[in-house]
Amino acid sequence: MMNKPKDWVFSDPRLQDLQQDYDAYTEEDFEVWKILFERQIVNLPKAASQAYLDGIKEIGFTADKIADFEDVNKRLKASTDWAIQVVPGLIDDDLFFGLMNNRRFCSSTWLRKMEQLDYLQEPDMFHDAFAHMPMLTNQPYVDFLEKLSGLALKHIDNKWAIELLSRIYWFTIEFGLIRENGELRIYGAGILSSAGETKFSLSDEPKHFEYDVRKILNTPYWKDKFQDKYFIIESYEQLFESLPEIEEVLEEMVAEEAK
């Protein structure tokens, strides 16, 4: 993987050439988007990171209009030079990291049905768009994503290394908290798309830890219930600047596992 050109992923036969078919969205789709958007957006002014609140304005999302990836890509191009890559759902790790290493964020285009409003096993487009895309307007955040993905590609054939890096991704990109003006705020997409976890994550119920690379790499996570611990960064620059430590501790743990 290390010897491949950076843009290898775009010629990989597994990568499907998919586009968002905006005209295919139904009345129910628009209603689902509107319900989910309005239900969650009211919780975020006092809960979400300022980077997210600024980002959702910059990216132009509203309750009455399902996210239009053509418009999103124009805005991201002008902002951080990222873009949305349409995928059918979950894809192989090397494709996922390969795309992000080329500043392409993966998103499905299907929306949950009305009877699935509260729980999905696999993230849908509302999660991908509403929760993730506004943060793609923040430069240190996307720089972290790009470089973390490059580190994953370097170790892509080592399942233990990818498991460890998935913990970093999970406790930052999906379930990360940030301290702003002395108060906890949310930037993790897994929380931002969940009204229940938005309230829970900022409460006194779970444990809150300062951002600690070694501790995160030693902390498994679960996917089927609220997290019982969250890690707090002080800035998005801190995330980016932690990459050398992530690589150092990762390689130490991989070497220890191999003994």
Side-chain angles (χ1 to χ4, degrees):
M1 184 64 66
M2 287 179 67
N3 297 324
K4 290 184 178 182
K6 182 165 178 166
D7 61 355
W8 65 270
V9 68
F10 298 117
S11 57
D12 192 292
R14 292 170 297 161
L15 186 66
Q16 301 177 43
D17 183 17
L18 301 175
Q19 303 294 325
Q20 182 186 37
D21 183 0
Y22 204 87
D23 293 337
Y25 288 122
T26 64
E27 192 173 320
E28 180 183 353
D29 291 330
F30 277 90
E31 187 62 23
V32 164
W33 174 274
K34 184 180 177 69
I35 290 170
L36 291 171
F37 190 105
E38 290 183 337
R39 189 167 73 177
Q40 182 60 346
I41 199 70
V42 295
N43 299 315
L44 297 183
K46 294 184 178 180
S49 167
Q50 192 60 48
Y52 176 86
L53 298 173
D54 292 343
I56 200 166
K57 292 177 183 175
E58 187 172 340
I59 215 155
F61 289 167
T62 64
D64 296 322
K65 188 174 185 292
I66 292 171
D68 182 339
F69 291 178
E70 185 176 347
D71 181 57
V72 168
N73 281 339
K74 289 177 183 174
R75 292 170 185 254
L76 287 178
K77 177 69 177 173
S79 177
T80 55
D81 199 28
W82 272 61
I84 306 307
Q85 180 82 32
V86 175
V87 294
L90 299 177
I91 58 175
D92 293 339
D93 285 345
D94 62 332
L95 292 181
F96 176 74
F97 290 120
L99 286 165
M100 286 206 296
N101 194 225
N102 282 277
R103 301 193 295 274
R104 299 292 182 271
F105 187 81
C106 300
S107 177
S108 56
T109 59
W110 60 275
L111 274 163
R112 68 193 77 179
K113 297 302 181 185
M114 199 68 77
E115 63 270 16
Q116 300 172 303
L117 285 179
D118 293 313
Y119 180 73
L120 284 177
Q121 282 191 314
E122 184 180 336
D124 71 339
M125 179 236 193
F126 179 78
H127 170 82
D128 291 339
F130 179 88
H132 277 287
M133 293 179 194
M135 287 300 304
L136 298 179
T137 62
N138 182 275
Q139 195 66 56
Y141 174 95
V142 292
D143 290 346
F144 172 75
L145 264 185
E146 179 183 349
K147 300 300 183 185
L148 185 71
S149 298
L151 181 56
L153 290 175
K154 183 178 174 182
H155 294 276
I156 198 67
D157 295 325
N158 186 312
K159 289 184 178 180
W160 176 234
I162 297 305
E163 166 61 27
L164 293 175
L165 287 173
S166 75
R167 295 174 183 181
I168 295 286
Y169 188 91
W170 189 265
F171 285 114
T172 58
I173 303 306
E174 290 292 351
F175 290 92
L177 299 179
I178 185 169
R179 187 175 285 105
E180 293 178 344
N181 300 317
E183 296 186 344
L184 291 187
R185 293 287 185 264
I186 300 160
Y187 72 94
I191 312 175
L192 288 167
S193 58
S194 166
E197 194 148 6
T198 292
K199 183 177 180 181
F200 177 80
S201 68
L202 299 178
S203 74
D204 294 331
E205 290 187 63
K207 293 178 180 177
H208 294 113
F209 298 101
E210 300 304 307
Y211 182 67
D212 182 326
V213 166
R214 188 176 293 274
K215 187 175 182 67
I216 293 174
L217 285 168
N218 280 284
T219 303
Y221 57 86
W222 47 58
K223 296 182 178 181
D224 56 352
K225 54 185 175 180
F226 291 170
Q227 305 304 301
D228 64 346
K229 55 183 73 70
Y230 300 91
F231 292 87
I232 306 160
I233 61 172
E234 297 295 329
S235 68
Y236 299 107
E237 288 79 8
Q238 180 190 12
L239 259 191
F240 180 75
E241 290 164 4
S242 73
L243 283 160
E245 184 184 0
I246 292 171
E247 182 166 20
E248 180 182 345
V249 180
L250 172 72
E251 291 183 355
E252 175 191 316
M253 292 177 70
V254 167
E256 187 65 30
E257 181 75 9
K259 285 182 180 178

